[in-house]
């Protein structure tokens, strides 16, 4: 399940891509399939080891084209172990809401992104996320949980302050918002509640089968209750005077 829309976020074979806070690796895998040179970085060592196994399995199965590379590594988003201007593309999906120093993370991403490079940022959307917080303290008051809810204009302003130039936004995963509302209402750790189990089966079916009816429904509902807010931006080339 991808949150970044690659029709709005072009990726070319050979692009150097950083998937920052990659988690289970869903965006890193897609970039690898598209022929990129991917680095998937996360502070969770267990998840990184799983991502590395999947990269190896994909290579063995021939899922990545010739020239594509993939590396999984542990690292700190506030101190990235890469030189300046190392990447053509940076993706950070559903991560910034967890990090106290979000401005520091943005600064690091801008540092390692080359001028003219592209960045995609996704965070939980304000409205659906606010409902989750109202329904359940356990949803966010956990170690490593969500510490803030972004308004769209707030996130875009922080991206601009970091030196990025936003060029597009959209919302995603509308069908997932009701699932999380049910989870929060019945208990975030209570997967046995009948409404939660039933809706989860619907989501799994939708992800696996991709029926036209639910695709149309989600597209129509995304502007209203899309679970994620997605913003795309570029790092401008330095003005000639500034480069002197």
């Amino acid at each position: 399940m991808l949150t970044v829309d690659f029709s709005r976020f072009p990726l070319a074979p050979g692009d150097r891509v950083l998937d920052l806070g990659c988690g289970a690796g869903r965006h890193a895998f897609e970039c690898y399939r598209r022929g990129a040179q991917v680095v998937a970085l996360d502070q969770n060592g267990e998840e990184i080891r799983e991502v590395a196994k999947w990269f190896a399995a994909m290579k063995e199965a021939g899922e990545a084209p010739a020239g594509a590379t993939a590396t999984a590594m542990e690292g700190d988003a506030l101190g990235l172990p890469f030189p300046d201007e190392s990447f053509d593309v940076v993706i950070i999906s559903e991560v910034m809401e967890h990090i106290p120093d979000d401005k520091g993370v943005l600064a690091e991403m801008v540092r390692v992104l080359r001028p003219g490079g592209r960045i995609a940022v996704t965070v939980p959307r304000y409205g659906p996320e606010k409902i989750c917080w109202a329904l359940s303290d356990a949803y966010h008051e956990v170690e490593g949980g969500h510490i803030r809810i972004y308004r769209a204009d707030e996130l875009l302003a922080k991206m601009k302050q970091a030196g990025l130039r936003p060029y597009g936004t959209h919302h995603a995963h509308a069908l997932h918002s009701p699932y999380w509302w049910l989870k929060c209402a019945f208990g975030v750790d209570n997967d046995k509640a009948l409404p939660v189990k039933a809706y989860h089966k619907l989501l799994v079916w939708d992800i696996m089968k991709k029926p036209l009816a639910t695709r149309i429904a989600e597209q129509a509902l995304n502007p209203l209750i899309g679970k994620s807010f997605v913003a795309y931006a570029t790092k401008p080339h330095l003005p000639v005077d500034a480069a002197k």
Side-chain angles (χ1 to χ4, degrees), residues 50-97:
E50 284 299 310
V51 170
K53 289 178 184 178
W54 278 105
F55 278 149
M58 290 172 67
K59 182 178 181 179
E60 181 70 20
E63 290 188 36
T69 62
T71 303
M73 62 185 295
E74 289 185 61
D76 181 0
L78 289 167
L80 296 174
F82 310 112
D84 295 356
E85 302 178 10
S86 298
F87 295 95
D88 304 299
V89 173
V90 177
I91 297 171
I92 184 166
S93 183
E94 311 300 302
V95 173
M96 287 181 57
E97 67 275 10

Side-chain angles (χ1 to χ4, degrees), residues 12-240:
D15 275 351
R16 298 163 296 166
V17 178
L18 172 64
D19 185 0
L20 180 55
C22 64
R26 57 200 173 105
H27 288 105
F29 300 149
E30 180 64 20
C31 293
Y32 189 32
R33 289 188 188 99
R34 290 170 178 260
Q37 299 174 10
V38 184
V39 175
L41 183 144
D42 201 285
Q43 66 177 3
N44 186 317
E46 184 176 344
E47 286 199 306
I48 282 298
R49 286 187 287 275
E50 284 299 310
V51 170
K53 289 178 184 178
W54 278 105
F55 278 149
M58 290 172 67
K59 182 178 181 179
E60 181 70 20
E63 290 188 36
T69 62
T71 303
M73 62 185 295
E74 289 185 61
D76 181 0
L78 289 167
L80 296 174
F82 310 112
D84 295 356
E85 302 178 10
S86 298
F87 295 95
D88 304 299
V89 173
V90 177
I91 297 171
I92 184 166
S93 183
E94 311 300 302
V95 173
M96 287 181 57
E97 67 275 10
H98 296 273
I99 301 177
D101 186 8
D102 58 347
K103 290 183 179 180
V105 173
L106 279 168
E108 272 294 87
M109 289 190 290
V110 171
R111 180 184 69 79
V112 301
L113 185 66
R114 68 165 177 82
R118 302 172 304 285
I119 186 168
V121 180
T122 92
V123 296
R125 184 184 186 176
Y126 183 85
E129 184 77 347
K130 194 75 173 177
I131 292 172
C132 289
W133 282 45
L135 288 171
S136 171
D137 289 338
Y139 172 79
H140 62 97
E141 291 182 356
V142 294
E143 184 178 356
H146 299 184
I147 62 171
R148 72 173 65 80
I149 307 176
Y150 286 101
R151 291 187 182 275
D153 56 355
E154 174 195 359
L155 178 61
L156 292 172
K158 287 185 175 182
M159 291 172 70
K160 291 175 183 177
Q161 289 168 6
L164 294 167
R165 183 178 295 158
Y167 68 83
T169 66
H170 65 91
H171 300 99
H173 309 319
L175 295 183
H176 288 251
S177 289
Y179 172 71
W180 283 103
W181 298 339
L182 288 170
K183 287 271 288 182
C184 290
F186 286 93
V188 291
D189 296 320
N190 181 13
D191 293 328
K192 296 181 179 179
L194 185 58
V196 175
K197 288 176 65 177
Y199 203 96
H200 183 263
K201 286 183 180 179
L202 170 66
L203 290 180
V204 171
W205 172 77
D206 176 58
I207 292 170
M208 298 302 294
K209 300 296 185 180
K210 298 180 174 63
L212 180 60
T214 55
R215 296 301 87 212
I216 292 173
E218 184 157 79
Q219 187 174 8
L221 290 170
N222 274 337
L224 301 174
I225 60 169
K227 184 74 172 68
S228 295
F229 174 71
V230 188
Y232 305 107
T234 59
K235 178 179 176 179
H237 292 275
L238 288 174
V240 175

